Structures are given as structure tokens and as C-alpha cells.
Amino acid sequence: MMRKFLVLLLVFMLTATLAVSFSGCSHVETISVYAPDGGPALGMAFLMKEFHEIDGVKVDYTLVKGADEIAAAVANGDADLAILPTNLAAKLYNEGKDILFVGTNSHGLLYLLTTAASETFTLEDLKGEVLHLTGESNTPEAVVRKILDSAGIVYEKSDVPIAGKVALKFYKDGSGIVPELVKGAIRYAILGEPAVSNVMQKAAAAKKAEVKIAADLQELWRTATNTTESYPQTSLVVKKSLWRSDKKLVEKIAKLTIDGSVAILDDPTPYLGYLIEEMESTQVPATLKLEGVERANISPTFGATAKAAVEAYFNILLAFDKDLIGGKLPDKNFYCGGLDELQDYKGIIKAFA
Amino acid sequence: MDKKRVLYNIGAPVLGLALFIGIWYALAQAIGISLFLPTPGETLVRFFKLLGEKKFYVAVGNTLLRTILSFSAAFLLACVFAVLSAKFRFFGKVFSPFAVVLRVLPTISVILLVFLLIRSRFAAYVIIFLVIFPMQYKSVLDAIERVDPLLKEMTEAYRFSWQKKVFSFYIPQMTPALLTGMSITLSFTVKLCVAAEVLSYVGKSVGRYMQQAYASLETETLLAWTIAAVLLGFLLEGLLLLLKKMIVRRYHGK
């Protein structure tokens, strides 16, 4: 009886050991990469077009409508890797979601557009005007409020102009602002690329109003925060389990995002075509030109540089509106660590052409 | 066909269509920016250009398939529930609050609630099903209840087998009313399907391409896709009416 029990125990222990060892070295067969449509998707266009398999792992790419949808995909575990607003990454992490920050994807793509005739622009011009924008309780609102606060300009949420103040009128998305700008029905608005390019082209075609860029919000942010860096608007995050099981794969994808940023700036046509035709992007117009892609500031950064910039950004947001990052700074475990060797990597094109 | 009938059956709808196109043209001219409202001519040119693109057929095919699948699922389940409700009165009473709530629930509430729970391409199917099912249920139940009670008694008196009752009595009696209801619901399903595709961001669909055109302010493309959706609705409605005519002719000899 005792012998039988010992044999059974031995078999059980062997099975358990084997199961644990196999699960420890298991490699994934397919991963899902999610990106929100529009500017952030530009940073993934190269990968989407060229890399459907990386080191034997099948890669499925999904474009989603916006921040809400990407948050849902990350929160419910559908996304193994995702591009999302950096503050949203912190918020989800602070809510206990299973993600890690890998690196920054873009450094701001917001621009202040105007239909006003004046050739010069200062923030003082916004007083007594309605500023039309998207991104309530998100990066655009935080950036605009920080810029206005630093310039000592008072603002208020309102649909109508207020004497001596800037009235902030929020829209759910840019599609409500674009026709108004084209008609010349509004004077000041904030949009992100590629909507900026689209609205300027459409306005030129309609000949009702001239829409021009009055200010680069990234520049205004640098002035407002007294820094040399723009804000890390979107970032790449990874599911903790994928980072643990296949760190090398994540590192390779991170490196490829740098190659992708070089490739799309070298010749955007094939990648934009792929985004529009194959990924059926609704936010990237077929008429987008190189200068529009440049204005999206796709410049992936990893390692200690990215971590320092993100921490500085979170500190500003924390002092400003802690809810934007989920009430507190994410702890050190939020950052996946490593990837320092990518800090000086500038990317190559030819190897992937 | 005499002249009067030709004028009535063909001339009047053509006049209506001409008036519609005339109003559209006048509005487009008054606005004067084709980015906001292109002329019917510009829209038709874009529509015919779309007809030459492979993606058009893929998208229309997917939307058609989605419409038919959701509609059929809703119809089959509605038949099951309606038959159960007609046969077992207690079941009908228990189920009636569900049917009523689903029927009066605003479509936008159904859409938003489904998006809270499901964020995938299946959301479109669920939305269509939830909106169409109560309409179909009511239509089938009404058709069952409108069956001639005297004829019903006759089938009982002559002890018809259940197969004979269903195929020789109930189906011929119910079909005309059912198909009329279905043809209206089916064109509504096309509209609902496109809306659900837009909101749930379903790829390779009429809704997705409509949204692409809308976001880029390509209004003539948006209207060209709208024409495709309208034609799809007409086609399905027409096919059902044709089916109704065939069935009525077969069973009732009219």
C-alpha cells in the first residue's frame, strides 16, 4: 500500500514538474497588436504592412476607433501589445490592469488652427474667443490647460465667447470641427494630425476660408513646462505575461517601430496606402502628404530616456489633474525595464524594403 | 396595359424620382460647396467609379450577408417564440413583458448597451438581432392570431395530422401577412446593419467605408455608398415581395 502511494506521488510530482517547466518556456504562436486609428496608427503602419510574422510568431494587427476602444482591448486582455495615450496607460496600470510600459511612440501631434486673417498669433488672441477642441479629460485638454495656465490666461468650458477668457468647447471627435473650419464658421480649433492636413486641404478646395496652423502645441508645451522635450502623447504597452514569456519578441517589435518611423518618413506612400486600403483606416486621408506625417512626430523612444520623459510628464499631470493618470504616479514596476540599447538606435530602411 | 395605367404605375414614380433629384440638385447649387453636398451628377459619377472597385463588392456582400444572417436568426427564433406563445397562453403571458420591453427600447439604448458588453465585430449581429427580433415576434404572433378560427375548427374536426395542419393550413394562411411584414423589416434591417457597422467599426463593410468617407469629408463617396445601401434595401424588399406573389399565386391562385 505504502509502495503504491509512493509510486503515485512520484508520478504526480514528475507530471507537475514537467507541466511547470513546459509552461515556463512556452512561446506564443500568435500575438495581437492594437493601435487607435489616426496619428498613432502611423507609427505602426510599417509593421502592419511588412511584418505579419516575427521570429515564427504570427502577428495580428487591429485598428480601433479611439481611446475608449483601445482601453477596452487592453483592459479585457485582447491586446498583447498596444499603442495608447501615455496617461491612459498609467491609468489602466493603476487600475490593476496587466500591462507594462515599453516605450513612447509619438511626441505630440496637436496643432492650433485658425481661420482668422491675422498673420501673427499669440495666446492672448484667444481671449474672448471660443477654442474648439476634442479630448476632454484626456491629453489634449491637459496640454491646452497647462499651456494656458502657464501663460496666465483664464479659461472656462463654454460654448459661447466670454469676455477676457478663453471658452473651451469640447467635441467627441474631430468630425464635428472639420466642416466648421472648412466653412470658416469658427476661428480657432485644436486638431491632431492627420485631421490637420485633411482640413487644410479641404478648406483650400472649398475656397470658403483659409485654414492655417497658428501654433504648434508641442512648442507651446516646451515653453510652458520649460523643457526641451515635447510631451509623450502615445506609448507602446505590453501584456505582462508576454513580456515575461517572450521578452526578445517585444524587444524586436520595439526596434521595428524605430525602423518604421524612419521608413514612413522616407516614403510614406506605401504605408499610408496599406493603412487606408488594407487596414481600412477612417482617420488617415488618402491625400495625406509627407509634411503631415512629419507633423505627427512619430519618434519612438525606449529605455531610460523614455522612462525619464514619461515620469516628468506624469509629474506634471499629477500636479495638474491626478485623475488623468488614475490618481497617483505608477510605481516602478510599470516600466518593463531594459531596452536601453535602443536609446541610440536610429533605425534602418533598406533591410526591410 | 392602357395608357392611364402606364402613367399611374410608371410615370408617377418616375416623376417622384425626378422631383427628388431636382430638389437635391437645387440644394447642392444653393450650398455651392460640393464638399458638403455634391450634385446628383457628381454622386453618380462616384457611384459608377465605385462599381469598378473590388472592395465595393466585398463590402456590399459582407453587409448583405450580415443582414440576412441576423434577420434569419431573428425570424427563426421569433417563429419559435410566437408558436410557443400562441400554443401555450401561460408562456405567452410570461414572455410578453420581455417582448414589449425589447420592442419599445430605443434603438440607441440597445446599441450603447451592446457596446458596453461586446466590443467586437459580433456587436453588429447582436444589435440587429435585438432590434429585429421583437418586431418579428409580434408580426408572426399577429399572423397566427389572424388565422380564420372556423378553418381552424375544421382542421380539428377532420383530425388533420400536424404536418397537414402546418403545411396545408397555417403556412398558406399566414404567408401573405408575414411576407409583407418581413419585407418592411428587411429594408429596415439593412439600415440598422449599416448603422451598427459604422458604430462597431466593422471592417470590409458598407458602414466602414461610409465612415471613412465621412471622416475625410468625401461627401460624394459617402453618398455613393448611401446609394449602394438604398439599392440593397430595395433589392431585398423586392425579392420578398416577388416571393410573396409567387406563394400567393401557388396557394390562393391569384
Side-chain angles (χ1 to χ4, degrees):
Chain A
M1 189 66 192
M2 189 64 183
R3 227 172 112 182
K4 254 188 183 174
F5 174 73
L6 279 173
V7 169
L8 273 173
L9 188 70
L10 198 67
V11 169
F12 172 74
M13 280 170 69
L14 264 171
T15 316
T17 314
L18 279 173
V20 168
S21 356
F22 276 120
S23 69
C25 69
S26 72
H27 284 273
V28 286
E29 288 175 0
T30 305
I31 58 164
S32 292
V33 179
Y34 278 66
D37 202 352
L42 297 174
M44 297 303 280
F46 169 76
L47 270 122
M48 287 172 174
K49 181 175 184 296
E50 309 288 356
F51 291 89
H52 297 273
E53 195 180 300
I54 300 172
D55 293 345
V57 176
K58 190 173 171 278
V59 187
D60 285 334
Y61 299 97
T62 307
L63 269 191
V64 293
K65 213 174 190 174
D68 289 350
E69 287 74 13
I70 202 88
V74 169
N76 64 25
D78 287 347
D80 294 304
L81 279 144
I83 300 282
L84 74 171
T86 310
N87 68 303
L88 187 58
K91 203 172 178 175
L92 290 171
Y93 177 82
N94 280 335
E95 283 171 7
K97 301 295 182 283
D98 177 34
I99 55 164
L100 295 172
F101 168 87
V102 181
T104 304
N105 174 255
S106 89
H107 288 82
L109 42 73
L110 299 171
Y111 295 86
L112 202 153
L113 300 171
T114 183
T115 54
S118 166
E119 286 299 315
T120 55
F121 169 81
T122 67
L123 286 171
E124 293 289 321
D125 295 343
L126 293 175
K127 283 183 179 171
E129 299 278 354
V130 179
L131 180 58
H132 303 259
L133 71 164
T134 61
E136 190 169 18
S137 306
N138 225 315
T139 314
E141 182 182 355
V143 169
V144 168
R145 284 171 55 192
K146 178 71 190 172
I147 290 168
L148 293 176
D149 276 344
S150 299
I153 294 171
V154 187
Y155 52 83
E156 198 179 306
K157 285 184 187 177
S158 166
D159 290 357
V160 290
I162 307 163
K165 288 183 183 178
V166 182
L168 300 177
K169 182 177 178 183
F170 284 95
Y171 294 70
K172 195 180 176 297
D173 57 53
S175 58
I177 299 175
V178 170
E180 298 305 301
L181 274 172
V182 172
K183 279 189 271 185
I186 56 179
R187 280 164 65 82
Y188 294 101
I190 287 171
L191 286 175
E193 277 292 359
V196 171
S197 292
N198 189 36
V199 75
M200 290 199 296
Q201 284 162 5
K202 299 294 176 198
K207 293 178 184 150
K208 281 272 167 183
E210 190 196 356
V211 178
K212 49 186 188 273
I213 296 176
D216 175 339
L217 262 73
Q218 292 59 241
E219 283 296 331
L220 295 177
W221 172 269
R222 286 186 195 105
T223 312
T225 55
N226 202 20
T227 52
T228 52
E229 294 298 320
S230 175
Y231 53 96
Q233 186 165 353
T234 56
S235 291
L236 179 67
V237 298
V238 63
K239 209 189 258 183
K240 266 182 205 166
S241 53
L242 179 65
W243 176 253
R244 284 190 197 121
S245 68
D246 232 327
K247 193 177 165 186
K248 282 208 178 326
L249 177 72
V250 180
E251 283 173 345
K252 183 151 190 187
I253 290 173
K255 194 175 179 186
L256 285 172
T257 61
I258 301 179
D259 295 326
S261 68
V262 178
I264 200 166
L265 287 170
D266 179 63
D267 180 13
T269 315
Y271 308 110
L272 297 179
Y274 190 83
L275 273 182
I276 296 160
E277 293 302 324
E278 301 301 322
M279 300 304 295
E280 297 175 315
S281 163
T282 63
Q283 304 299 317
V284 177
T287 50
L288 186 64
K289 300 274 187 302
L290 177 63
E291 63 261 31
V293 178
E294 285 171 342
R295 279 195 295 260
N297 290 316
I298 303 295
S299 48
T301 14
F302 300 96
T305 317
K307 187 185 170 193
V310 167
E311 280 178 333
Y313 175 58
F314 286 160
N315 274 307
I316 293 169
L317 295 184
L318 185 74
F320 180 71
D321 182 356
K322 62 182 182 181
D323 288 343
L324 285 167
I325 53 170
K328 59 178 182 183
L329 287 173
D331 60 40
K332 62 178 176 28
N333 296 325
F334 172 60
Y335 306 92
C336 68
L339 300 171
D340 285 335
E341 68 281 6
L342 291 182
Q343 284 183 103
D344 300 317
Y345 182 65
K346 301 291 176 212
I348 50 170
I349 308 167
K350 289 212 160 36
F352 305 101
Chain B
M1 219 190 292
D2 60 53
K3 261 186 179 176
K4 217 174 167 184
R5 244 178 116 184
V6 170
L7 192 71
Y8 186 78
N9 286 334
I10 301 168
V14 169
L15 179 72
L17 186 66
L19 267 174
F20 174 75
I21 293 173
I23 293 169
W24 175 359
Y25 183 80
L27 264 175
Q29 289 298 318
I31 291 170
I33 309 172
S34 65
L35 277 177
F36 294 126
L37 186 61
T39 61
E42 288 167 331
T43 306
L44 277 180
V45 167
R46 185 68 190 101
F47 177 70
F48 285 116
K49 214 173 148 197
L50 267 186
L51 288 180
E53 294 174 26
K54 190 185 157 201
K55 73 174 183 188
F56 175 83
Y57 299 97
V58 174
V60 170
N62 283 336
T63 300
L64 177 67
L65 191 69
R66 196 167 288 117
T67 302
I68 291 175
L69 280 179
S70 322
F71 182 86
S72 307
F75 178 70
L76 289 176
L77 215 65
C79 285
V80 172
F81 275 76
V83 168
L84 287 174
S85 297
K87 183 93 180 148
F88 309 103
R89 291 285 160 197
F90 181 71
F91 178 85
K93 291 277 176 211
V94 172
F95 187 65
S96 66
F98 291 97
V100 171
V101 168
L102 274 178
R103 201 168 56 242
V104 297
L105 208 62
T107 308
I108 191 68
S109 306
V110 175
I111 291 172
L112 294 175
L113 285 169
V114 170
F115 282 143
L116 278 178
L117 300 168
I118 310 164
R119 281 183 188 264
S120 71
R121 65 189 65 190
F122 296 109
Y125 290 98
V126 178
I127 290 165
I128 300 167
F129 177 83
L130 287 177
V131 176
I132 296 301
F133 170 75
M135 294 162 82
Q136 297 278 25
Y137 169 78
K138 188 169 185 318
S139 150
V140 179
L141 193 61
D142 284 352
I144 295 174
E145 282 168 355
R146 273 207 301 269
V147 167
D148 190 341
L150 291 174
L151 288 172
K152 218 189 282 182
E153 270 176 34
M154 187 192 77
T155 62
E156 298 294 332
Y158 284 98
R159 295 189 179 183
F160 279 18
S161 66
W162 72 265
Q163 292 100 323
K164 201 172 177 184
K165 265 191 208 170
V166 170
F167 293 105
S168 307
F169 172 67
Y170 277 101
I171 290 181
Q173 283 269 314
M174 288 165 57
T175 304
L178 265 186
L179 285 176
T180 308
M182 278 169 79
S183 68
I184 297 164
T185 325
L186 193 53
S187 51
F188 175 70
T189 311
V190 175
K191 288 199 268 186
L192 186 65
C193 183
V194 172
E197 286 169 348
V198 169
L199 291 162
S200 56
Y201 222 54
V202 182
K204 293 185 174 33
S205 66
V206 172
R208 179 70 165 258
Y209 289 122
M210 273 189 176
Q211 184 163 28
Q212 201 175 50
Y214 168 71
S216 309
L217 213 63
E218 304 281 352
T219 318
E220 76 276 9
T221 309
L222 175 64
L223 288 174
W225 281 108
T226 308
I227 290 176
V230 168
L231 291 179
L232 194 62
F234 274 142
L235 176 78
L236 292 175
E237 201 174 319
L239 282 176
L240 267 184
L241 288 174
L242 195 71
L243 187 69
K244 180 187 163 187
K245 261 189 183 170
M246 284 163 62
I247 290 173
V248 168
R249 195 170 294 157
R250 183 180 165 170
Y251 285 110
H252 304 272
K254 286 177 196 168

